[in-house]
Amino acid sequence: MPFVDELVELQAGELLREAETFRPPTGRLPVRDLDDLAGRLTAAVPHSAPPRPAETRLATFFARSPEWICLVPTGDPAGLPELLDAPDTPNHTPFPGRRSLSYRDHADVLREWHDRFGAAICYLDTDALLLSVENPPTDPLQAARVAIEHYASCPDFDQLIGGLPEIAAHQAPARFRFFWWD
């Protein structure tokens, strides 16, 4: 099973509880499973103005320019979390025994997103990540499924973008994706 799928399955209960925070269409039963959630997300896209693009959200994290920038020549850019010990996500503990995401876990997720969407790291620090995405999903259902993956790997989106409908509408189909862990 791909690591991203494993991560989503481990957090299925939390993801389904998150679905209760947005209004499903009137008369619908509670969300049954993750496929039902993805289908409903395509109908729950918010009509408010989109949030600022990922690259401008990243810029707001810098009150001043970074003191240093590290350029890393590597044949495996997705492996940078393992090489640089970042990002650190101690508050996100989806695994049995409340184990948080390891640097290897982050690298596995990034490798899968690279293989599927051409995602590449533009910026990485101790609690933030910016990805450039060559082939973001264009189908609303696929974007909804990717939003579920994003929320499973970074539940702190509620502090930046909003819940699953906002992630599906604005983050998952974007060419730049910003992640931040509290």
Side-chain angles (χ1 to χ4, degrees):
M1 171 183 289
F3 182 75
V4 171
D5 292 344
E6 179 184 340
L7 190 58
V8 168
E9 284 300 318
L10 281 169
Q11 297 177 90
E14 182 178 330
L15 290 162
L16 294 175
R17 279 189 298 280
E18 168 66 16
E20 299 302 319
T21 65
F22 65 90
R23 291 176 169 232
T26 306
R28 303 268 319 250
L29 298 173
V31 177
R32 295 183 314 270
D33 56 30
L34 294 172
D35 287 333
D36 184 32
L37 173 59
R40 290 184 189 205
L41 280 173
T42 62
V45 173
H47 298 288
S48 60
R52 294 175 299 149
E55 56 272 29
T56 61
R57 286 196 304 270
L58 175 66
T60 63
F61 274 72
F62 295 118
R64 53 185 159 64
S65 298
E67 294 180 20
W68 57 270
I69 294 177
C70 178
L71 301 177
V72 182
T74 178
D76 180 24
L80 287 174
E82 292 177 283
L83 184 64
L84 301 176
D85 292 343
D88 186 27
T89 58
N91 295 334
H92 181 41
T93 55
F95 298 104
R98 302 209 29 91
R99 180 178 73 80
S100 65
L101 289 174
S102 70
Y103 305 123
R104 178 177 298 255
D105 295 335
H106 285 291
D108 288 345
V109 168
L110 293 172
R111 284 185 188 104
E112 288 182 37
W113 287 344
H114 176 268
D115 291 347
R116 290 168 47 211
F117 308 109
I121 296 173
C122 294
Y123 175 83
L124 173 66
D125 77 3
T126 58
D127 61 4
L129 170 69
L130 178 66
L131 297 178
S132 169
V133 183
E134 188 175 322
N135 301 304
T138 55
D139 173 67
L141 184 59
Q142 181 63 24
R145 288 185 172 125
V146 171
I148 292 168
E149 293 176 8
H150 285 196
Y151 196 87
S153 67
C154 183
D156 290 331
F157 275 121
D158 58 346
Q159 299 174 48
L160 287 171
I161 296 172
L164 284 166
E166 291 81 13
I167 297 166
H170 306 297
Q171 165 101 347
R175 291 209 171 266
F176 288 94
R177 297 175 182 169
F178 181 70
F179 298 83
W180 172 76
W181 293 267
D182 192 2

